[in-house]
Amino acid sequence: MSRQPLDLTINGESYQLMVEPHWSLLQVLRRELGMTGTKENCLEAECGVCTVLLDGKAVNSCILLAEQARGRSIVTIEGLGDPEHLHPLQRAFIDHGAVQCGYCIPGMILTAKSFLDECRGHVPSEAEVREALSGTLCRCTGYQKIVEAVIAAARQLNSWPEEAGRAS
Amino acid sequence: MSGYQHRVAGKRLNRLDGIGKVTGKHVYAADFALPGMLFGKILRSSEPHARIRRLDVAKARALPGVRTVLTASDIPAIRFGTAIKDRSVFADGVVRFRGEAIAAVAATSLEIAEAAVRAIEIEYEPLPAVFDPEEALTSGAPLVHAGWSDYQALPVFDREGNVSGRAELGGGDVEAGFAQSYRIYEHRFTTQHVHPGYTEPRSAIASWDGNGDVIVWCNTQLPFDMKNMLAEVLDLPASKVRVIVPGIGGGFGGKLRVGVEHFAAWLARASKRPVKVMTTSEEELTDAYPRQPTIVTLRTGVSRDGLLLARQGRVLLDCGAYANSGPATAAIALQVLAGPYRTPHLAFESVAVYTNKGSTGSFRAPAGPMANFAVESQMDLIADNLGIDPLEFRLRNVYREGDKGPAGETLTSVSIEECLRKAADAIGWHDRRPAHGRGKGIACSWWLTTGGSSGVYVKINPDGSVTLVSGAVELGSGAITGAAQILAEELGVDLADVNVAEVDTHSSPYDYGAQGSRTAFSVGNACIAAAKDLRRQIGELMAAQWQVPIDSVRLEEKSVISGDKRMSLAEVASLSQRSGGGLISHGTAIQPMPVFDPSKVKNHPLPAWTSHSFHAHAVDLSVDQVTGEVSIHRYVVAQDVGYAINPTYIEGQIEGGVAQGIGQTLSEEIVYDQGRVMNANLTDYKMPTTMDMPRVECILVEKPGVNGPYGAKGVGEPPCIQPPAAIANAIAVASGVRVCSLPITAEKIALERLDRAAD
Amino acid sequence: MSFAFHRPDSIDAAIAVAREHGASARFLAGGTDLIIQINRRRIAPEHLISLAGLGLDTIGETGSEFVIGAMATHDAVVGHPAFQKQLKALTEASAVVGGRQVRNIATVGGNIVNASPAADLVPVLLTLDATVELRGGAGTRTLPLDRFLVERGRTERRPDEILTAVRFDKPPADSATAFLKAGRRKAMEISVICVAAHLVSDGKARIAIGAAASRTLRVPAAEAIVEKGGRAAFAEAGRIAARQMSPIDDVRASARYRRLLVAAMVERALGICADRIEGKST
């Protein structure tokens, strides 16, 4: 099948690509663009390591055709914060010991970001955070420090609301 | 360092690789790519046991974009294996499990490689297969390896037919012990296949250079073992193989052995291009190194006042089609079965068998959860029957300081009573049945800190930073950050001053590898040795420079001091570099083997444990009295870590290990039917989610060991050992149902209650 | 494996593409199941026709009924203010479809058209006597959802028909719904059994069960006994439902356990409805 032109907006930048229609967004990010911060594992929306934001909402890029992202805004972990300007979620994950092998962490942070953006103005309960993150598997941490980090980040984002909008 | 207040070790400092990981910049093996690389895919058997009658790859070779197709006939017939050399790269004319590799393809895209695999034509002649480990032991059972007696194997294992290894552990006279017993109990427990569940698939890229050397970038836990194994499989001197681990997304014992690396290396050699091979979830659940299923039978005699007198037991372990670590795992189960209890008369036997199922391996605390589920479930069954509180029954029998272990070794730094009491207090043991349908359970265990040597190179750079070169990879546990904390402590620098080099077998010193709860322990010890040597070098250099006695020179707060003379560590390193090649040292470490009584073990590859640790788990849960659904309210772990090098990451190990243990207990199982995996995807292989995990309350007990850095003991594996037994015991209290087979699904509990109501 | 991707700009254009390519074409809603089926090589469509951007994603209401556009996501259902009281079962079902990432993409229409016996939203819609609206080359028609579903993977939809919306009457104030799901984990499950119930204080009862037969089924005999006997008949309704189902043994659960769950969950779902009507629980 021949390649078709596809323009994507990723982390605020536009990309002019030639893609085959069946390519997933994950495949385009990792294989075509070398943006390997978005991870690859089950390819069936069961593990969540491939999570990116599509118009601000967390989605599994492994089962989303790149075509389905046409004309929409994509944010990957590379667009959230960089080592000099960490997003409060990234900072909290480090400070709370929520990172072990780290392979699930980009997806976990973006899942959390989409959730916290929806509950702007209130700090979610532990139960709410657990519910929100249930689509992203972590095999290292048992989730406890991840949940603590998300709640801590929520507190901070609420006290600096202008920070919350960055990269979204 | 006694009496000295640590500045860096023991502190909750952030890990060294955290920023790279939260920003997506940390490169894992699965992320790694080379220009012009090809993609490899594997043709796998659809039959559990069959002769390959015809294999035709012509159509696959002819597909545009296919660069190489390899089968057993294209490479030397070399057998490899951990304990027994029973496996080949591609099936050697006979397939022994569904999913076994038969051929490999390298093509310009993954899709073409997949199409080529489908284009390979194959005809099988089915052979009788055996799936049940007990049936595999019977005379007349189909032989999984007809040529087993010709295989090379470590001499320690006693093998015959489908038995890949037998071992014994014990002492005293069990029959006499049973004769003295007030009551004798006999139970049978079964455990299932569970996958380590690392989120990063196994991945390798191989590339051959101008010297005929192969470089393999992969996510192995054991780069040096991988190097040797690949050299063997590729029929090369080990010096021609270079293994580099860019980053690794979890291993848990599942990435110890060759998995995709050999395919990548052979395909790269044949295609003269770099080749990447990465597993799918289906491949992970059909051909990886999951925890072996076991059948454990345990017969125990006790005195009227609740003292263990005699124990006899057998661990039957199902290796699948290839032995790998199975025989050793089965043998190590015997120590788990013995401890942490005084038992005058012991007779344990392990039997590892072949069946026509996927190969298995050393998932975190290999043997631990299986044997502990048996022994700790039985402890509750006995206590209930005797009318003794299960905690009290355990306390009457646990090891005390100076006791002899099962192989006659002397036990020191024994903390099991403290762990049990702390876990029990924290869970509120006095109230074991807080409500209808709710109950509490407890289980305890012991475990070893695996030996093996470690070497590190440590360099103090002219800017005052310190480079740590270790052959041990950072799996995610934080162990290398822990070792770096020890190094920083010993050198008087900050953790942030330490850089860790990438593991590369060409340039890193040898390490036995990130396995067996040994990484922080052993690399930490090597760091202490390296730092000691650097302090000696600094002393000699500055004594000469300042014309002062060597023992007046000391290292403090990034400065070298003697009397009123002071020079920054950076300047000293710079001085050394200008005058003598720089401050660089090689530190090494190895644990001494304990003295044991050889008459107590037979055919056992690991007769006595080094630097054992003790731990107790307690849980409070509810069981839905109709549906059997289990909801865990609280989970407490009291674990003796000897010395907490970094409490945050130790808690992380405990919380994560408990999660894996809860998965094994309640939801996870690779389900086989006639050799076919029925749930080879993450929809139906069910690892715990955030909603399935309770908070885990960690109590770190610090009773210093004699061998570890600052008294530290191995931490990583133990947390997944006790969840099955602790939860089974609590479920029995909450529901009245004792389930002796893992996983303890809601279905098993509910149907057992239904059956009982019908009786 | 590949296909042509079509992005029609109107519903009529989408129907035209479907008519042109017949059985080789598939409509793409969220794709959270379709793409997996394609990747697993269970299906191999040559044309995918996107239904995005055609205005099918709204959740609307008229004086007497609610209309959920086929492309409305589960996330939209979960958060819809009108579904938080009498129609709570809708949010309870949509909230447990996959993880958050799936619910942001997966659609109500996809959940229905897929015709999986384990689809979580379908039993709830059955208890609401929902109808589906279909538009195709031959025009628009509506069908009761109960008639639309045939069996596992099969519906009355013709290949060129788009399920555009699902409609159901607004429930009376003195009514309640409930949805319960059983699986091995507490999240990320395909239902081992799911049950929806709908009670009105005048006695009307609706019960529907998923993953217990070759399609999601209502249980009229159990409904009848509840309509007659009220709360006292809930347990018997569960037993009747369990007898009438024909569950299978598979890797997720045995048929025997599924029956046990049906009995227990039907009784409980009815109990929750009754409690909600009486204001005893939310």
Side-chain angles (χ1 to χ4, degrees), chain B residues 151-354:
Chain B
Y151 294 162
Q152 285 180 49
L154 296 178
V156 65
F157 295 111
D158 175 22
R159 305 185 297 129
E160 186 176 11
N162 284 334
V163 174
S164 60
R166 239 180 238 280
E168 290 174 28
L169 175 73
D173 178 346
V174 277
E175 287 313 320
F178 286 130
Q180 295 163 22
S181 294
Y182 165 64
R183 280 180 190 160
I184 295 171
Y185 302 86
E186 193 160 352
H187 296 98
R188 173 189 157 100
F189 302 88
T190 63
T191 69
Q192 80 282 41
H193 276 104
V194 286
H195 191 277
Y198 33 77
T199 49
E200 182 204 26
R202 288 174 295 159
S203 184
I205 297 184
S207 180
W208 294 74
D209 73 8
N211 298 324
D213 293 2
V214 62
I215 311 175
V216 181
W217 290 265
C218 60
N219 46 18
T220 181
Q221 294 177 240
L222 309 181
F224 288 89
D225 195 66
M226 181 62 67
K227 170 194 171 88
N228 292 332
M229 191 71 89
L230 286 174
E232 194 175 335
V233 170
L234 295 166
D235 202 14
L236 284 177
S239 60
K240 306 292 278 181
V241 180
R242 178 176 176 191
V243 173
I244 301 174
V245 182
I248 173 167
F252 316 111
K255 291 175 177 170
L256 300 178
R257 311 296 171 201
V258 67
V260 289
E261 296 84 354
H262 52 337
F263 300 130
W266 271 117
L267 288 170
R269 176 183 250 188
S271 64
K272 302 183 167 54
R273 301 266 293 275
V275 177
K276 179 170 185 172
V277 184
M278 184 159 141
T279 56
T280 62
S281 291
E282 184 178 359
E283 289 176 307
E284 282 296 340
L285 288 157
T286 48
D287 182 16
Y289 297 111
R291 190 184 297 290
Q292 304 91 348
T294 61
I295 300 169
V296 182
T297 47
L298 201 52
R299 183 163 184 249
T300 301
V302 295
S303 71
R304 186 184 288 270
D305 54 353
L307 292 179
L308 298 172
L309 295 180
R311 259 194 163 145
Q312 192 171 28
R314 186 179 82 161
V315 174
L316 176 63
L317 177 141
D318 181 354
C319 300
Y322 297 98
N324 188 26
S325 59
T329 301
I332 295 165
L334 305 185
Q335 273 103 339
V336 182
L337 224 45
Y341 300 114
R342 297 168 156 179
T343 318
H345 309 288
L346 275 186
F348 290 153
E349 177 195 33
S350 68
V351 184
V353 294
Y354 288 120

Side-chain angles (χ1 to χ4, degrees), chain A residues 20 22-23 27 30-31 34-44 46-47 49 77-87 89-91 93-106 108-109 126-148 151, chain B residues 12 14-15 17-19 21-28 30-32 39 110-111 194-201 248-250 252 276 278-281 363-364 474-478 647-649 651-653 655-657 659-660 663 668 681-685 687-698:
Chain A
E20 293 196 30
H22 64 275
W23 284 1
Q27 185 173 347
R30 285 176 65 87
R31 230 173 279 162
M35 297 173 70
T36 55
T38 307
K39 301 304 179 192
E40 170 176 355
N41 181 22
C42 78
L43 303 181
E44 296 196 338
E46 293 289 346
C47 75
V49 302
I77 193 69
E78 288 93 344
L80 194 65
D82 54 51
E84 289 75 39
H85 307 93
L86 293 177
H87 184 275
L89 270 164
Q90 293 170 314
R91 185 76 255 162
F93 268 62
I94 295 174
D95 290 345
H96 286 78
V99 179
Q100 289 191 33
C101 91
Y103 198 76
C104 74
I105 295 298
M108 197 67 86
I109 287 177
E126 177 172 335
E128 287 170 321
V129 172
R130 283 184 181 273
E131 198 285 322
L133 300 182
S134 63
T136 307
L137 289 178
C138 170
R139 192 63 159 171
C140 292
T141 65
Y143 306 107
Q144 190 154 318
K145 295 188 190 306
I146 288 174
V147 172
E148 288 165 8
I151 292 171
Chain B
R12 292 179 180 271
N14 287 341
R15 59 187 306 135
D17 53 8
I19 291 176
K21 287 177 173 177
V22 299
T23 54
K25 295 193 184 303
H26 189 83
V27 175
Y28 297 83
D31 302 332
F32 198 76
F39 298 85
L110 205 50
E111 286 145 332
V194 286
H195 191 277
Y198 33 77
T199 49
E200 182 204 26
I248 173 167
F252 316 111
K276 179 170 185 172
M278 184 159 141
T279 56
T280 62
S281 291
F363 179 8
R364 193 176 195 165
E474 172 56 71
L475 277 185
S477 64
T648 297
Y649 298 113
E651 290 163 2
Q653 286 301 291
E655 290 156 9
Q660 289 178 331
E668 292 177 39
N681 54 64
L682 293 192
T683 307
D684 284 311
Y685 185 79
M687 292 183 275
T689 71
T690 45
M691 302 287 281
D692 299 289
M693 275 304 296
R695 291 188 69 78
V696 176
E697 300 160 44
C698 302

Side-chain angles (χ1 to χ4, degrees), chain B residues 263-502:
Chain B
F263 300 130
W266 271 117
L267 288 170
R269 176 183 250 188
S271 64
K272 302 183 167 54
R273 301 266 293 275
V275 177
K276 179 170 185 172
V277 184
M278 184 159 141
T279 56
T280 62
S281 291
E282 184 178 359
E283 289 176 307
E284 282 296 340
L285 288 157
T286 48
D287 182 16
Y289 297 111
R291 190 184 297 290
Q292 304 91 348
T294 61
I295 300 169
V296 182
T297 47
L298 201 52
R299 183 163 184 249
T300 301
V302 295
S303 71
R304 186 184 288 270
D305 54 353
L307 292 179
L308 298 172
L309 295 180
R311 259 194 163 145
Q312 192 171 28
R314 186 179 82 161
V315 174
L316 176 63
L317 177 141
D318 181 354
C319 300
Y322 297 98
N324 188 26
S325 59
T329 301
I332 295 165
L334 305 185
Q335 273 103 339
V336 182
L337 224 45
Y341 300 114
R342 297 168 156 179
T343 318
H345 309 288
L346 275 186
F348 290 153
E349 177 195 33
S350 68
V351 184
V353 294
Y354 288 120
T355 59
N356 292 111
K357 301 200 293 261
S359 186
T360 53
S362 305
F363 179 8
R364 193 176 195 165
M370 305 92 116
N372 188 254
F373 174 59
V375 68
E376 286 295 272
S377 292
Q378 194 186 46
M379 289 302 279
D380 264 40
L381 285 161
I382 295 172
D384 285 351
N385 184 269
L386 292 175
I388 304 175
D389 177 89
L391 172 65
E392 171 59 26
F393 179 51
R394 285 176 172 80
L395 290 172
R396 285 184 199 176
N397 288 285
V398 289
Y399 290 143
R400 313 278 162 191
E401 188 73 24
D403 276 0
K404 296 290 186 199
E409 72 277 29
T410 301
L411 303 176
T412 59
S413 186
V414 177
S415 52
I416 185 64
E417 179 172 352
E418 183 179 354
C419 292
L420 272 168
R421 288 195 189 281
K422 284 189 165 162
D425 285 351
I427 207 74
W429 188 253
H430 59 278
D431 187 13
R432 275 179 73 209
R433 290 179 175 80
H436 178 66
R438 187 164 174 173
K440 296 175 185 175
I442 200 162
C444 64
S445 189
W446 70 321
W447 190 247
L448 72 157
T449 309
T450 296
S453 86
S454 287
V456 297
Y457 301 151
V458 177
K459 193 167 65 154
I460 303 178
N461 302 307
D463 61 357
S465 68
V466 174
T467 302
L468 168 59
V469 188
S470 159
V473 299
E474 172 56 71
L475 277 185
S477 64
I480 299 299
T481 293
Q485 282 179 261
I486 291 165
L487 179 62
E489 185 71 49
E490 294 288 318
L491 290 176
V493 300
D494 295 331
L495 178 60
D497 295 323
V498 181
N499 311 302
V500 179
E502 182 176 65

Side-chain angles (χ1 to χ4, degrees), chain A residues 1 20-22 43-48 51 54 57-60 62-65 67-70 107 111 114-115 118 131-132 134-137, chain C residues 1-5 7 28-33 35-36 39-40 46 48 50 73 75-76 95 98-105 185 187-188 190:
Chain A
M1 199 60 62
E20 293 196 30
H22 64 275
L43 303 181
E44 296 196 338
E46 293 289 346
C47 75
T51 300
L54 185 68
K57 293 211 162 207
V59 299
N60 298 112
C62 68
I63 57 160
L64 190 78
L65 299 175
E67 275 285 357
Q68 291 175 275
R70 185 189 285 269
T111 312
S114 124
F115 168 64
E118 283 173 30
E131 198 285 322
S134 63
T136 307
L137 289 178
Chain C
M1 168 194 78
S2 197
F3 43 73
F5 191 89
R7 186 180 285 277
L28 175 71
T32 53
D33 188 69
I35 301 300
I36 292 173
N39 290 344
R40 286 187 178 183
E46 291 163 29
L48 282 194
S50 169
T73 62
D75 181 60
R100 203 177 170 77
Q101 297 96 315
V102 165
R103 296 195 289 276
N104 282 332
I105 291 288
R185 293 182 294 196
M188 295 297 286
I190 291 176

Side-chain angles (χ1 to χ4, degrees), chain B residues 56-123:
Chain B
D56 185 345
V57 301
K59 284 184 185 150
R61 281 216 169 99
L63 281 180
V66 171
R67 296 289 179 262
T68 296
V69 182
L70 291 177
T71 69
S73 63
D74 301 306
I75 63 172
I78 291 169
R79 289 192 180 280
F80 63 95
T82 311
I84 304 166
K85 294 187 191 301
D86 55 7
R87 193 160 189 180
S88 49
V89 176
F90 300 114
D92 56 352
V94 173
V95 293
R96 297 185 176 84
F97 71 95
R98 287 183 72 117
E100 180 163 11
I102 293 169
V105 173
T108 51
S109 79
L110 205 50
E111 286 145 332
I112 295 172
E114 285 165 354
V117 164
R118 285 193 301 275
I120 295 173
E121 293 173 5
I122 185 161
E123 281 174 33

